[in-house]
Amino acid sequence: KHDFKNSESFNSEEIGLVLSSNPFILIKHWIKFQQEWVSNIYSQFNDHDTYIILMYLVSKTWQDNSNLFKFYSIDEYYSQSEINLPDISLSDISHNLKIPKETIRRKLIDLENKKIIKRDGQKIILAQLALSLQKPETSIKTLSILFEKLSILLSAQNWFGPSISRDDIEKYFKKFYTIFWNRYFKMQIPFLLRWKTVFGDLESWVIWANMGINQSINLEKISKSMSKKINLSGDKKKNLYFENLQKNEPNQGVNALSIAEVSGIPRATVLRKLKKLLREKIIRRNSKLEYILTNKGNLNKKIKDNYLINQKYIALFVTDIFNLIK
């Protein structure tokens, strides 16, 4: 365990307040990580739902049929040739992932055809390929950098203690792999499902978020002068960041080709989803045929509400991880 000054556990509301007061650090590193993660999924499966199902199945491998949690380091977990899942029904998967039962059945057949899973009657077995496909070496590195940045940010608070190096964090994540990754999945699966509910599909969210990242970089450049004028806290500050993000239109938007390249989503799909977002009025196209977020359209209310909900769950996840490392 890391040598912290205090033995008290951290409070997610206090951590959430620090995070929401520093939106650029979170956006720059958290959203960058999320986008890398999601585009990596897309490049492997050409489909987000299949991967969410696979994530869900992997998360079930950390429990046996008596629901006891199984602890492995990253090397121990991935040295297994295949893993039997505890009994799990299509209805359970469908209910937990809010994906229709027929879709689940179709995606499982697809995973079986690709030799990612094996089926034995009702039983599902994760094959070696399922493990190698989602071994998160890069994600753990990126997350370690994020947690190092957050620990530097939090070390300014006297209740937090010293910051933690990315190497120590990475070692911890790898040593207590299933404990950490289980918590990550518990946060990540609902996170993706919430965005899917708002946008109707995850491709549209990824495309919208690409514009958001571009606008966040732009806002960071002009925010120095803004933050002198503005001094708010809590939800007002979170909302204000979001509103400023949409209002301060960058000189340079994002074009369909660069969205396709970054996200791995085919250009034809990107163009189709952009049309949908344009109809919703939550984005617009400038004279250079680049796309920019707007603060118009009814969907923006749902996006804003979801952004605030996600901030809360990210704070809970971050708190949980720092409490474990502590």
Side-chain angles (χ1 to χ4, degrees), residues 199 204 273-283:
F199 282 94
S204 299
K273 301 295 180 188
L274 284 168
K275 274 184 190 162
K276 186 180 100 170
L277 297 176
L278 283 166
R279 280 197 303 275
E280 291 281 0
K281 298 187 172 61
I282 60 167
I283 65 168

Side-chain angles (χ1 to χ4, degrees), residues 56-70 72 77 80 82-90 92-93 108 118-126:
Y56 180 77
L57 295 178
V58 168
S59 74
K60 291 290 165 195
T61 66
W62 300 321
Q63 285 145 15
D64 57 22
N65 270 327
S66 60
N67 252 348
L68 285 170
F69 188 82
K70 292 192 280 192
Y72 294 108
Y77 183 74
Q80 301 172 94
E82 56 181 42
I83 304 176
N84 285 299
L85 265 71
D87 298 338
I88 183 169
S89 70
L90 285 183
D92 285 347
I93 305 174
L108 288 177
K118 298 176 188 174
R119 308 281 288 282
D120 181 7
Q122 287 295 304
K123 283 210 85 61
I124 299 174
I125 299 149
L126 282 191

Side-chain angles (χ1 to χ4, degrees), residues 1-6 160-163 325-326:
K1 289 220 165 187
H2 199 269
D3 183 25
F4 273 83
K5 286 178 194 163
N6 57 340
F160 187 81
S163 62
I325 296 176
K326 184 167 81 84

Side-chain angles (χ1 to χ4, degrees), residues 151-197:
S151 79
I152 291 166
L153 190 62
L154 291 163
S155 66
Q157 311 294 320
N158 56 14
W159 43 260
F160 187 81
S163 62
I164 319 167
S165 77
R166 65 186 68 179
D167 290 345
D168 283 350
I169 294 168
E170 193 177 332
K171 273 183 204 139
Y172 176 85
F173 286 165
K174 286 181 170 176
K175 186 177 175 186
F176 299 101
Y177 173 69
T178 52
I179 294 174
F180 154 66
W181 214 235
N182 181 42
R183 280 168 166 81
Y184 171 65
F185 276 4
K186 276 185 175 162
M187 182 275 307
Q188 179 72 333
I189 294 173
F191 178 91
L192 294 176
L193 294 176
R194 279 192 297 273
W195 280 122
K196 186 183 167 188
T197 305

Side-chain angles (χ1 to χ4, degrees), residues 16-32:
L17 209 59
V18 176
L19 298 186
S20 66
S21 304
N22 295 273
F24 296 117
I25 287 187
L26 202 60
I27 290 289
K28 198 186 274 180
H29 297 283
W30 174 259
I31 302 291
K32 179 176 180 271

Side-chain angles (χ1 to χ4, degrees), residues 109-294:
I109 290 168
D110 188 40
L111 286 170
E112 194 177 5
N113 290 339
K114 288 177 176 160
K115 303 202 168 11
I116 291 169
I117 64 168
K118 298 176 188 174
R119 308 281 288 282
D120 181 7
Q122 287 295 304
K123 283 210 85 61
I124 299 174
I125 299 149
L126 282 191
Q128 177 69 50
L129 185 57
L131 298 177
S132 60
L133 267 180
Q134 62 85 53
K135 188 174 183 179
E137 292 278 6
T138 324
S139 300
I140 284 180
K141 272 202 173 356
T142 317
L143 268 178
S144 303
I145 294 166
L146 169 70
F147 274 91
E148 179 189 57
K149 302 269 181 211
L150 295 179
S151 79
I152 291 166
L153 190 62
L154 291 163
S155 66
Q157 311 294 320
N158 56 14
W159 43 260
F160 187 81
S163 62
I164 319 167
S165 77
R166 65 186 68 179
D167 290 345
D168 283 350
I169 294 168
E170 193 177 332
K171 273 183 204 139
Y172 176 85
F173 286 165
K174 286 181 170 176
K175 186 177 175 186
F176 299 101
Y177 173 69
T178 52
I179 294 174
F180 154 66
W181 214 235
N182 181 42
R183 280 168 166 81
Y184 171 65
F185 276 4
K186 276 185 175 162
M187 182 275 307
Q188 179 72 333
I189 294 173
F191 178 91
L192 294 176
L193 294 176
R194 279 192 297 273
W195 280 122
K196 186 183 167 188
T197 305
V198 169
F199 282 94
D201 59 84
L202 279 168
E203 287 88 346
S204 299
W205 167 64
V206 169
I207 290 162
W208 174 86
N210 263 283
M211 290 171 240
I213 291 169
N214 178 56
Q215 255 154 273
S216 182
I217 293 163
N218 173 67
L219 183 59
E220 189 174 9
K221 287 175 190 161
I222 60 170
S223 74
K224 307 277 187 291
S225 60
M226 272 170 41
S227 59
K228 283 171 192 154
K229 297 176 212 157
I230 300 156
N231 192 11
L232 294 172
S233 63
D235 275 358
K236 278 184 186 163
K237 194 160 198 166
K238 292 182 205 175
N239 264 323
L240 189 84
Y241 167 73
F242 207 82
E243 279 155 25
N244 278 318
L245 183 70
Q246 293 163 320
K247 271 184 213 153
N248 288 281
E249 294 190 352
N251 298 326
Q252 200 175 358
V254 192
N255 65 34
L257 184 63
S258 64
I259 293 173
E261 282 170 358
V262 170
S263 65
I265 300 170
R267 189 160 174 268
T269 309
V270 169
L271 287 166
R272 200 171 70 250
K273 301 295 180 188
L274 284 168
K275 274 184 190 162
K276 186 180 100 170
L277 297 176
L278 283 166
R279 280 197 303 275
E280 291 281 0
K281 298 187 172 61
I282 60 167
I283 65 168
R284 71 173 191 83
R285 198 161 60 162
N286 66 15
S287 56
K288 294 183 256 176
L289 304 184
E290 296 163 337
Y291 295 89
I292 290 163
L293 299 185
T294 74

